[in-house]
């Protein structure tokens, strides 16, 4: 006990120290202070807890579930929620809670992949357009406008129909329809930063445009993009669920939440729990991401002191 | 060292043109320290930035170390000439540690990077090693300005362009930074071009001063002449008088207010 | 010590004022025991950044944010206890009886309203009157700050004005309800030197005519000394010296002397400027 107390004291000392000894310590300190500011915001913490629960649920799925979510138990069809099946069973006798837990992996997979594709593309296009300006800006922005002009679900439908159903194609389709606002945001940030004195200082030292974009501009644009991403997550999940609902995303018997609603909707009147539970799962996770995004925005906003 | 001839800088096009600098000419010898004094809108900062290659001249020539320069500068030239900005809160990247800020010019110019070099650069401007991994927001204004000086000097330039380097600093810190600048110039034989609105600061650091107003040089004089109060031009005399503080007799001259709407 | 004309004592009494802020690293005391009195005079408050001079001004106006705690033995404005005054009472005092001018008119004037309307509104908030009365008062104030074409400026927007004109408009706006005290927080720091002297001259004239008390907060010791009657010098949240403005050269406290001597002077060249050696005892209290 005394030992853990002591380690905590030294860790705290290390984090609060006025004279960091190396770059790693300096970065950890910054993250620590941002975390403290974040923690002080109850809305942000609520969102964080929900998303943390989602991630933990996905990681520990084998431990948390009683079955594999696939095996059918036709004798147990459409059982209402009970001690044995907390969320009841669906039309093939599968425990719904189990399927939701397994389905969280699919949800995270989709949003994770979309984020990895969308953020780099949007940022590269956006900061190049904003910083370099001129005809480069015009060309890149018109290209972005083309994608912005289409309603997200319709364009996603078109892509998926062309590429064929399946999770990866759904991810690709969603990514293609989602990246354009990030380019706009990154461009707006780059425009304001273009004339900052530290950028001028870098230019006067002879830094190349590529260096300035990568080392000076990009780190500062990242905050806005990430905030926007978390706020968009809800939309991404819903689009994926929509595609799943239409049978164009994850294919049965995969426990994708949207597909669960779709196959369960015929039971809504008498066995309400079959489509409703996955629906509530989508609702909760979307809410969680929204709250988290709001919280991040407050932390990153310079006025509230998030460095 | 530096020659400027007939420099003209115009921003914008057509009816919304702004003539920031008109027909500016000046010669600065190696090792000299020259001041540019003026109020806002005088064009002094624009001249400095044009010299630094950050603003493209509309016409006129800039010669540095004998070679005429445009705004596309070679890396070697960038190394010769460095600029220090006014706002200590804006000239350092908020997300870079001081260590990163000092490494950057070394990386760009492919010079050897070592801990020793960084710590020496910090010591040269009076900052201890505890500053090395801090972020700019953890430093005071005076400390940031010292980092800016260290950053400028780490690649061993010959010319320093200073854009109101102490205007944003407290008076006691200003004295320390001015002393630092004087010492560094003496030790390294640097050439300075200092832009300021403060005649007293200019008279401390420079040997010669050009007074600018609305884009033009109205008078150039040595600091001795300035001290002996023998400026010829009314504007220079006005500036000198204003530097002495408030005087109730200004009330009487109020009818000559310059109103710009 | 100038008193109110009815002889009932000074306009503002401040005794042992403390202002502290809650920060992630603990409590920070910005003002630590400041005491002074203000009559119908021009009082200068000089200090460097971090001296607590701006916080003092804001504490008097009750304008500090929720993270700040204000304590004082006395904080009295002409008989009204500002510490215990209700928010409603403070709103009636603020602007009407104690006004404040800030540093940059670009940020303190509403950018989407014409300047004349802002002045008129400042009048209407504190006096009952018709719009026509407010307008004529606004024009009168614009003339009082020596604006030559008040009609034209009345209809102008803040971004159309130069820095000096913007500050004169601020003065007009803050003086239109004829306050008893005007607090000017670095009113000329963002202005060119020649323009700032003109603005100060106008401020001088307006304040003398209305008989208000002026608290002039600045970092520029020489400017303040040449403009005010009395000067308070602050360091680390405390007042280290008080003296008459024309006797500044005879200042006794080493901090004041240090501040005066570390300025570069055109007529007195030195190789190395004397720098301030901060004695930790200065943060200990007034003489």
């Amino acid at each position: 006990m005394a030992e853990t107390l002591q380690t905590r004291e030294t860790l705290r000392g290390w984090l609060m120290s006025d004279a960091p000894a190396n770059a790693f310590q300096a970065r950890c300190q910054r993250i620590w202070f941002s975390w403290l500011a974040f923690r002080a915001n109850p809305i942000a913490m609520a969102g964080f807890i929900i998303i943390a629960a989602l991630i933990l649920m996905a990681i520990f799925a084998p431990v948390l579930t009683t079955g594999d979510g696939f095996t059918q138990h036709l004798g147990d069809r459409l059982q209402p929620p009970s001690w044995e099946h907390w969320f009841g069973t669906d039309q093939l006798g599968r425990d719904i809670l189990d399927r939701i837990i397994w389905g969280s992996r699919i949800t995270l997979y989709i949003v994770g992949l979309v984020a990895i594709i969308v953020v780099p593309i949007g940022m590269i296009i956006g900061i190049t357009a904003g910083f370099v300006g001129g005809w480069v800006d015009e060309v890149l922005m018109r290209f972005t406008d083309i994608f912005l002009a289409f309603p997200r679900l319709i364009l996603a439908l078109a892509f998926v129909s062309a590429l064929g159903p399946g999770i990866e194609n759904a991810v690709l389709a969603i990514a293609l329809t989602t990246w354009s606002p990030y380019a706009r945001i990154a461009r707006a940030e780059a425009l304001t930063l273009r004339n900052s004195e530290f950028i001028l200082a870098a230019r006067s030292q002879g830094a190349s445009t590529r260096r300035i974009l990568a080392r000076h501009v990009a780190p500062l644009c990242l905050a806005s993009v990430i905030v926007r991403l978390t706020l968009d997550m809800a939309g991404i999940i819903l689009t994926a669920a929509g595609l799943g609902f239409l049978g164009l995303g994850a294919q049965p018997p995969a426990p994708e939440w949207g597909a669960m609603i779709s196959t369960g909707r015929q039971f809504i009147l008498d066995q309400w729990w079959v489509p409703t539970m996955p629906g509530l799962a989508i609702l909760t996770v979307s809410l969680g991401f929204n709250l988290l995004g709001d919280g991040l925005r407050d932390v990153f906003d310079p006025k509230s002191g998030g460095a | 060292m530096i020659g400027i001839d007939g420099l003209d800088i115009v921003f914008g096009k057509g009816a919304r043109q702004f003539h920031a600098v008109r027909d500016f000419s000046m010669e600065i010898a190696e090792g000299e320290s020259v001041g540019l004094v003026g109020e806002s809108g005088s064009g002094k900062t624009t001249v400095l930035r044009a010299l630094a290659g950050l603003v493209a001249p509309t016409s006129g020539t800039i010669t540095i170390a004998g070679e005429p320069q445009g705004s596309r500068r070679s890396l070697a030239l960038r190394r010769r000439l460095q600029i220090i900005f006014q706002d200590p809160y804006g000239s350092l990247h908020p997300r870079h540690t001081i260590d990163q800020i000092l490494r950057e010019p070394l990386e760009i110019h492919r010079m050897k990077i070592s801990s020793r070099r960084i710590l020496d650069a910090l010591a040269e401007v009076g900052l201890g090693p505890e500053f090395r991994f801090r972020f700019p927001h953890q430093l005071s204004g005076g400390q940031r300005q010292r980092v800016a000086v260290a950053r400028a000097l780490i690649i061993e330039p010959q010319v320093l362009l200073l854009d109101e380097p102490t205007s944003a600093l407290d008076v006691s810190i200003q004295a320390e930074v001015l002393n630092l600048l004087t010492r560094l110039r003496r030790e390294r034989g640097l050439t300075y071009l200092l832009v300021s609105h403060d005649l007293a600061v200019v008279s401390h650091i420079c040997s010669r001063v050009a007074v600018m107003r609305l884009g033009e040089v109205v008078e150039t004089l040595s600091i001795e002449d300035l001290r002996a109060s023998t400026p010829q031009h009314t504007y220079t005399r006005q500036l000198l008088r204003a530097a002495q503080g408030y005087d109730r007799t200004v009330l009487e001259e109020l009818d000559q207010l310059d109103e710009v709407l | 010590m100038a008193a109110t004309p009815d002889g009932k004592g000074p306009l503002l009494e401040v005794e042992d004022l403390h202002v502290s802020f809650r920060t992630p690293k603990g409590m920070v005391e910005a003002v630590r025991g400041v005491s002074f009195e203000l009559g119908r005079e021009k009082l200068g408050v000089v200090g460097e950044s971090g001296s607590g001079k701006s916080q003092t001004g804001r504490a008097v106006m009750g304008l500090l944010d929720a993270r700040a705690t204000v304590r004082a033995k006395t904080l009295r404005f002409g008989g009204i206890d500002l510490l215990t005054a209700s928010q409603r009472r403070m709103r009636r005092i603020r602007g009407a009886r104690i006004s404040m001018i800030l540093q940059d008119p670009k940020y303190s004037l509403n950018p989407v309203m014409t300047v004349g309307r802002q002045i008129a509104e400042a009048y209407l908030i504190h006096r009952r009157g018709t719009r026509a009365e407010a307008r004529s008062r606004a024009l009168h104030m614009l003339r009082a700050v020596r604006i030559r074409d008040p009609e034209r400026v009345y209809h102008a927007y803040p971004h159309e004005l130069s820095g000096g004109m913007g500050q004169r408009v601020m003065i007009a706006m803050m003086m239109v309800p004829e306050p008893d005290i005007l607090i000017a927080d670095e009113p000329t720091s963002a202005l060119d030197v020649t323009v700032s002297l003109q603005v100060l001259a106008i401020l001088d004239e307006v304040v003398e005519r209305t008989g208000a008390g002026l608290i002039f907060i600045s970092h520029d010791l020489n400017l303040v000394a040449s403009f005010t009657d009395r000067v308070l010098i602050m360091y680390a949240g405390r007042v280290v010296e008080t003296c008459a403005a024309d006797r500044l050269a005879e200042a006794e406290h080493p901090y004041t002397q240090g501040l005066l001597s570390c300025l570069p002077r055109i007529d007195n060249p030195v190789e190395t400027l004397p720098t301030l050696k901060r004695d930790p005892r200065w943060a200990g209290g007034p003489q």
Side-chain angles (χ1 to χ4, degrees), chain C residues 89-162:
Chain C
R89 193 131 203 232
M90 282 309 291
R91 272 201 299 272
R92 267 185 283 149
I93 296 178
R94 241 179 258 143
R97 304 197 59 199
I98 310 181
S99 262
M100 191 173 216
I101 302 179
L102 298 165
Q103 181 172 333
D104 202 332
K106 265 205 311 278
Y107 300 120
S108 42
L109 287 174
N110 186 335
V112 297
M113 242 194 202
T114 60
V115 140
R117 245 193 90 196
Q118 293 187 49
I119 303 177
E121 186 178 296
Y123 178 79
L124 285 173
I125 292 178
H126 297 288
R127 316 256 156 170
R128 302 268 151 94
T130 62
R131 287 207 171 275
E133 264 171 42
R135 192 195 139 89
S136 90
R137 283 292 301 167
L139 287 169
H140 172 84
M141 283 312 295
L142 285 175
R143 254 175 252 121
V145 295
R146 305 269 190 135
I147 286 180
R148 251 175 301 175
D149 196 349
E151 285 282 352
R152 207 165 133 230
V153 173
Y154 189 96
H155 293 286
Y157 285 91
H159 69 267
E160 295 175 315
L161 303 177
S162 67

Side-chain angles (χ1 to χ4, degrees), chain B residues 39-40 170 172 179 227 257, chain C residues 48-49 148 192 266 278:
Chain B
E39 302 188 298
S40 47
D170 282 329
S172 58
N179 286 345
R227 287 215 179 95
L257 277 179
Chain C
E48 301 187 294
S49 43
R148 251 175 301 175
D192 283 333
I266 302 180
R278 279 153 218 274

